[in-house]
Amino acid sequence: MGASGSGLRAYIGSFTLAGGAGITVADVDDGTGALRIRNSTDAVVNPSYLVLAPGGRVLYAVSETEDGAAAALDVTQDPPALLGEPVPVRGAGPTHLALAGGRLLTANYGSGSVSALAVLADGRLGEPVAVSRHEGSGPDPERQEGPHAHAVAPDPSGGWLLAVDLGIDAVQVYALPGPRPHHEVRLRPGSGPRHLAFHPRGDRVYVINELDPTITACRWDAASGVLEPLGETPLVPEGTDVECYPAEAVVSGDGRFVWAATRGHDSIATLALDAPGDRMELVTTTSCGGHWPRDLTLDPSGRRLYVSNERSGDVTWFDVDPSTGVPRRGGSVPAPAASCVVFG
């Protein structure tokens, strides 16, 4: 429910330095999925990724700038209001964040590091309590000259944090609380892993690769904190001749489908999973409804997908066919430099 109790809300992040409004609040029509813009705030510079705290009263945002910061906002205010000033993360270009182990974790792309910030009792952020920098490089001299942490995701058990690093073709596993370095799994050189999504069972992970349009299925053992790659599946049809940069993947609540957004090809791939979740097949690709789909989100009902089309400046939603998994466009709203959508 929205902060006022009136219904589901959507919070749209965007790049203010590229003309975005900052954080935009929209009401969600339960029947159609349509978004109706309420208001916005530019209190945070480049709030490119957002996460809502349990209870839905505090929203956290990265400030994706060279200096790098994170901010807490009170969403019971309309528009949301800052809870204290943004806090430096002691890392450059934070692109993603997550709540885990009682802390706010950020993936800092520019510095190739993960920061852990204290979360105070009232939801405000304290100073970083730990910063862990990754090491290494990859074969792409322009994109992989050093580490580039791009996403952080707690596992469903709550005992681990997985950090995806595009620059070193690796997923770093941290123990929680902490985070404390535990295990590293290297993926195919030059694949450029960007984000990941868990199977609803919690024992499989799907890593989306930005530098090659593929997705990697992995086995996840929460008892030992070990990730094991199983195989890759393409996200675009064979013979595609445009440069493709996959961005995000989500898994259906019943574990039958994976959807992935790919920039350049400007598509949503629908992939069918086998029962164990080890293998997937590309069923089809669907136009994302705009240009440069940076983020893909499943709404809480699991019936709709929302795409943040960064360069065309819109959020487009799709109704998902429950039998085939194929999305069908429902509508869109303008959202300049859109980068993510979260619901609460």
Side-chain angles (χ1 to χ4, degrees), residues 77-112:
Q77 304 297 311
D78 211 8
L82 280 175
L83 282 170
E85 290 300 309
V87 175
V89 299
R90 302 210 323 254
T95 56
H96 195 257
L97 76 173
L99 289 162
R103 292 171 177 170
L104 183 75
L105 293 306
T106 66
N108 309 318
Y109 181 86
S111 53

Side-chain angles (χ1 to χ4, degrees), residues 246-258:
E248 182 65 288
V250 294
V251 187
S252 65
D254 60 9
R256 295 173 57 216
F257 302 106
V258 176

Side-chain angles (χ1 to χ4, degrees), residues 38 47 71 76 145 153 157 162 190 201 204 209 228 245 290 296 306:
R38 293 178 61 89
T76 68
E145 80 295 343
S157 79
L162 279 62
R201 273 199 323 263
R204 298 293 186 273
N209 301 310
E228 176 193 356
Y245 302 95
L296 183 65
Y306 289 75

Side-chain angles (χ1 to χ4, degrees), residues 179-199:
R180 303 183 307 280
H182 171 74
H183 169 70
E184 175 185 87
V185 59
R186 293 278 176 156
L187 302 182
R188 180 171 54 81
S191 57
R194 174 185 172 95
H195 280 206
L196 61 77
F198 280 89
H199 190 283

Side-chain angles (χ1 to χ4, degrees), residues 63-277:
S63 178
E64 190 175 334
T65 61
E66 181 62 28
D67 293 337
L73 298 102
D74 178 0
V75 296
T76 68
Q77 304 297 311
D78 211 8
L82 280 175
L83 282 170
E85 290 300 309
V87 175
V89 299
R90 302 210 323 254
T95 56
H96 195 257
L97 76 173
L99 289 162
R103 292 171 177 170
L104 183 75
L105 293 306
T106 66
N108 309 318
Y109 181 86
S111 53
S113 60
V114 172
S115 298
L117 281 70
V119 177
L120 308 181
D122 63 358
R124 296 171 190 262
L125 292 173
E127 295 294 318
V129 294
V131 179
S132 180
R133 190 175 192 278
H134 300 165
E135 296 181 354
S137 60
D140 187 322
E142 293 185 1
R143 299 293 307 278
Q144 297 184 308
E145 80 295 343
H148 291 299
H150 210 301
V152 282
D155 88 310
S157 79
W160 310 97
L161 180 78
L162 279 62
V164 186
D165 197 302
L166 183 151
I168 61 175
D169 297 314
V171 177
Q172 304 281 353
V173 179
Y174 291 92
L176 294 173
R180 303 183 307 280
H182 171 74
H183 169 70
E184 175 185 87
V185 59
R186 293 278 176 156
L187 302 182
R188 180 171 54 81
S191 57
R194 174 185 172 95
H195 280 206
L196 61 77
F198 280 89
H199 190 283
R201 273 199 323 263
D203 61 355
R204 298 293 186 273
V205 170
Y206 306 100
V207 182
I208 194 158
N209 301 310
E210 177 172 341
L211 301 185
D212 187 37
T214 58
I215 187 166
T216 304
C218 303
R219 182 177 292 111
W220 168 246
D221 183 0
S224 62
V226 172
L227 189 70
E228 176 193 356
L230 299 172
E232 295 181 12
T233 303
L235 294 175
V236 295
E238 186 177 352
T240 297
D241 60 359
V242 297
E243 291 192 8
C244 297
Y245 302 95
E248 182 65 288
V250 294
V251 187
S252 65
D254 60 9
R256 295 173 57 216
F257 302 106
V258 176
W259 297 282
T262 298
R263 297 162 297 175
H265 195 245
D266 290 345
S267 64
I268 305 168
T270 300
L271 302 115
L273 281 171
D274 65 3

